[in-house]
């Protein structure tokens, strides 16, 4: 009897082990079946296709026998973070999204479908090359979009790499898409956010004046400015990028109002670009006191901004507060729109950003041939003697509705370093029309 009991128990244990193994196999099959089916070659799955830019320039192709990229080396490098590669090394490439969307795997038959597809991107590869070349050997990000349609025209991150050159040494950080996957100290470009919050929370903001002799003390802490601006209006304070004035403005707005507006404008959230995620920024959310609040309104403190989030903000300002959600992939559907900023706030910011250019940026010298430019510079100090260079804005032009962001890591002054990159890109875009 004991022998029968032991045998029955052994059979039950064996059955349980088999059931467990079958369950584990099914779960693994559902998750990894496609990878098993295409183990020897991802390209040999049966599907094929190509990815092109808005003008038909081929950026990548794959088939049952071959994977490849654009014929032109400079195009491959400039567009690498847009296309990605067949090994998902950058994590934000459209090629990965493209592959998953067309290479359907049937878990019941264990096969992939055999079809040929074409994906057309809104990207202009020629403008991407212009932006990448203008960046030189500096790290950073450049983005440009049509703020009326949401079409993403330029998304360039440096350093980059040539996905066809397997022998080349890969630069440090080349797999990071700095447009979407990094956030930075914003410096004075953040004064646009502080200005918007002030317009909406301080009733007499436009009649106030601000005094600057190069130093402003808040609760015993000195806030230093880059110059001496003396008595100035709100509009002049933004054009002067006056730290003393914006320290006062941030304190007047108050920390909770600043938090509410920073969050409402999307700087504390991660966003998506046709399903590709971006990282969130940061702003001091716990109580910090007036000195730290003053620095946060200037764009220092613990402020961090993702370039894509800033592009969405300036695009909404350009479009009277209405955001056309950026789109990487060409679509016949109408763009998704949402109210990001009130129309009156957007209109005033637009006027102030236009005044920045005419009053302080010497447009005839620094931006020849570019009309209707509205912009803000940023020189974000990092505490080690270096600073990030920012230049963000748009063309207030129905014919050329371009919003842009330029960020160069540890490059120096915003106008002197990031400004020429924006100038090269905008002039190239204007020459196309």
């Amino acid at each position: 009897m004991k022998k029968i009991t032991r045998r029955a128990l052994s059979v039950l244990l064996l059955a349980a082990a088999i059931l467990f193994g079958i369950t584990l196999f099914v779960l693994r099959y559902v998750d990894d079946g496609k990878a098993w089916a295409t183990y020897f070659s991802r390209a040999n799955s049966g599907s094929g296709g190509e990815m092109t830019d808005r003008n038909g320039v081929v950026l990548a192709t794959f088939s049952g026998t071959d994977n490849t990229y654009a014929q032109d080396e400079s195009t491959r490098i400039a567009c690498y973070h847009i296309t990605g590669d067949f090994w998902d090394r950058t994590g934000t490439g459209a090629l990965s999204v493209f592959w998953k969307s067309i290479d359907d795997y049937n878990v019941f038959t264990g096969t992939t479908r055999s079809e040929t597809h074409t994906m057309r991107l809104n990207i202009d590869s020629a403008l991407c090359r212009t932006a990448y070349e203008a960046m030189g050997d500096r790290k950073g990000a450049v983005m440009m979009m049509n703020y009326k349609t949401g079409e993403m025209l330029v998304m360039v991150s440096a350093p980059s790499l040539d996905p066809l050159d397997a022998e080349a040494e890969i630069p440090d950080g080349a797999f990071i898409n700095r447009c979407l996957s990094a956030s930075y100290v914003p410096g004075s470009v953040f004064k646009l956010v502080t200005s918007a919050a002030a317009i909406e929370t301080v009733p007499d903001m436009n009649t106030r004046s601000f005094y600057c002799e190069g130093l402003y003390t808040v609760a015993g802490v000195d806030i230093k400015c880059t110059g001496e601006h003396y008595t100035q209006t709100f509009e002049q304070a933004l054009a002067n990028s006056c730290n003393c004035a914006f320290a006062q403005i941030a304190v007047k707005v108050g920390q909770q109002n600043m938090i509410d507006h920073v969050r409402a404008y999307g700087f504390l959230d991660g966003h998506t670009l046709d399903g590709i995620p971006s990282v969130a920024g940061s702003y001091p959310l716990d109580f910090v006191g007036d000195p730290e609040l003053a620095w946060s309104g200037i764009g220092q403190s613990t402020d961090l901004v993702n370039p894509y989030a800033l592009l969405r903000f300036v695009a909404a300002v350009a479009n009277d507060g209405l955001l056309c959600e950026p789109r990487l992939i060409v679509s016949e559907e109408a763009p998704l729109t949402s109210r990001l900023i009130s129309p009156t706030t957007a209109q005033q910011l637009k006027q102030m950003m236009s005044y920045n250019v005419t009053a302080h940026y010497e447009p005839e010298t620094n931006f020849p041939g570019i009309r209707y430019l509205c912009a803000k510079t940023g020189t974000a100090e990092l505490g080690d003697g270096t600073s990030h260079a920012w230049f963000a804005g748009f063309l207030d032009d129905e014919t050329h509705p371009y919003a842009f962001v330029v960020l160069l890591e540890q490059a120096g002054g915003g106008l002197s370093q990031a400004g020429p990159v924006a100038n090269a890109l905008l002039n190239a875009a204007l020459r196309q029309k």
Side-chain angles (χ1 to χ4, degrees), residues 235-316:
E235 182 178 55
Q236 290 169 336
L238 182 65
N240 292 329
S241 203
C242 179
N243 289 349
C244 293
F246 273 85
Q248 298 173 60
I249 292 170
V251 171
K252 183 63 180 177
V253 171
Q255 185 175 358
Q256 191 55 56
N257 280 331
M258 284 295 301
I259 292 171
D260 290 344
H261 284 80
V262 170
R263 179 175 285 116
Y265 297 147
F267 289 101
L268 298 183
D269 300 318
H271 302 282
T272 60
L273 177 60
D274 281 337
I276 303 171
S278 69
V279 300
S282 68
Y283 185 81
L285 302 179
D286 296 328
F287 177 75
V288 293
D290 286 350
E292 196 66 19
L293 174 59
W295 279 117
S296 74
I298 293 168
Q300 296 291 153
S301 182
T302 58
D303 298 8
L304 292 174
V305 165
N306 170 253
Y308 181 51
L310 182 59
L311 179 69
R312 296 172 84 254
F313 179 79
V314 295

Side-chain angles (χ1 to χ4, degrees), residues 184-206:
Y184 299 89
V185 179
S188 291
V189 290
F190 196 79
K191 290 170 182 171
L192 294 173
V193 181
T194 305
S195 294
I199 292 168
E200 298 193 346
T201 59
V202 183
D204 62 345
M205 193 67 225
N206 292 318

Side-chain angles (χ1 to χ4, degrees), residues 11-24:
V11 170
L12 288 175
L13 290 174
L14 180 60
I18 293 172
L19 180 62
F20 176 77
I22 292 173
T23 302
L24 182 62

Side-chain angles (χ1 to χ4, degrees), residues 90-405:
T90 186
T92 60
L95 192 57
S96 299
V97 178
F98 187 23
W99 178 271
K100 292 171 185 175
S101 68
I102 73 160
D103 195 32
D104 286 349
Y105 175 73
N106 190 314
V107 296
F108 298 106
T109 65
T111 60
T112 56
R113 69 184 183 185
S114 180
E115 297 181 13
T116 300
H117 301 262
T118 296
M119 172 176 279
R120 188 166 167 237
L121 304 182
N122 286 313
I123 289 295
D124 188 312
S125 61
L127 293 181
C128 289
R129 289 199 308 271
T130 297
Y132 192 82
E133 291 166 2
M135 295 172 76
D137 59 357
R138 297 168 293 189
K139 297 180 180 180
V142 180
M143 306 187 81
M144 187 172 78
M145 65 177 282
N146 182 319
Y147 58 79
K148 291 293 185 182
T149 65
E151 295 167 295
M152 183 64 70
L153 304 172
V154 173
M155 183 170 69
V156 172
S157 177
S160 186
L161 57 91
D162 182 353
L164 283 185
D165 190 350
E167 302 300 322
E169 182 178 351
I170 298 174
D172 183 42
F175 295 134
I176 300 172
N177 185 343
R178 287 163 164 78
C179 299
L180 300 177
S181 304
S183 57
Y184 299 89
V185 179
S188 291
V189 290
F190 196 79
K191 290 170 182 171
L192 294 173
V193 181
T194 305
S195 294
I199 292 168
E200 298 193 346
T201 59
V202 183
D204 62 345
M205 193 67 225
N206 292 318
T207 61
R208 286 175 172 262
S209 62
F210 305 91
Y211 191 76
C212 167
E213 286 187 345
L215 189 69
Y216 179 70
T217 303
V218 183
V221 176
D222 291 338
I223 306 291
K224 294 183 179 180
C225 196
T226 57
E228 297 177 350
H229 304 114
Y230 304 105
T231 302
Q232 55 197 321
T233 65
F234 178 34
E235 182 178 55
Q236 290 169 336
L238 182 65
N240 292 329
S241 203
C242 179
N243 289 349
C244 293
F246 273 85
Q248 298 173 60
I249 292 170
V251 171
K252 183 63 180 177
V253 171
Q255 185 175 358
Q256 191 55 56
N257 280 331
M258 284 295 301
I259 292 171
D260 290 344
H261 284 80
V262 170
R263 179 175 285 116
Y265 297 147
F267 289 101
L268 298 183
D269 300 318
H271 302 282
T272 60
L273 177 60
D274 281 337
I276 303 171
S278 69
V279 300
S282 68
Y283 185 81
L285 302 179
D286 296 328
F287 177 75
V288 293
D290 286 350
E292 196 66 19
L293 174 59
W295 279 117
S296 74
I298 293 168
Q300 296 291 153
S301 182
T302 58
D303 298 8
L304 292 174
V305 165
N306 170 253
Y308 181 51
L310 182 59
L311 179 69
R312 296 172 84 254
F313 179 79
V314 295
V317 173
N319 201 29
D320 296 324
L322 195 65
L323 173 66
C324 286
E325 198 64 39
R327 297 189 294 185
L328 183 64
I329 302 170
V330 172
S331 173
E332 298 298 325
E333 298 179 1
L336 296 175
T337 59
S338 60
R339 173 65 59 189
L340 190 67
I341 308 167
S342 76
T344 54
T345 299
Q347 185 60 40
Q348 183 171 346
L349 278 179
K350 185 185 296 186
Q351 294 171 356
M352 294 171 73
M353 293 171 72
S354 175
Y355 180 73
N356 288 347
V357 176
T358 58
H360 282 278
Y361 297 167
E362 299 181 20
E364 297 298 327
T365 300
N366 293 317
F367 306 100
I370 299 176
R371 298 191 299 166
Y372 314 117
L373 177 61
C374 304
K376 181 70 185 83
T377 61
T379 304
E381 297 178 0
L382 304 181
D384 59 0
T386 66
S387 57
H388 296 323
W390 290 87
F391 195 69
F394 52 87
L395 299 183
D396 187 18
D397 182 356
E398 291 287 334
T399 307
H400 308 99
Y402 303 139
F404 63 88
V405 169

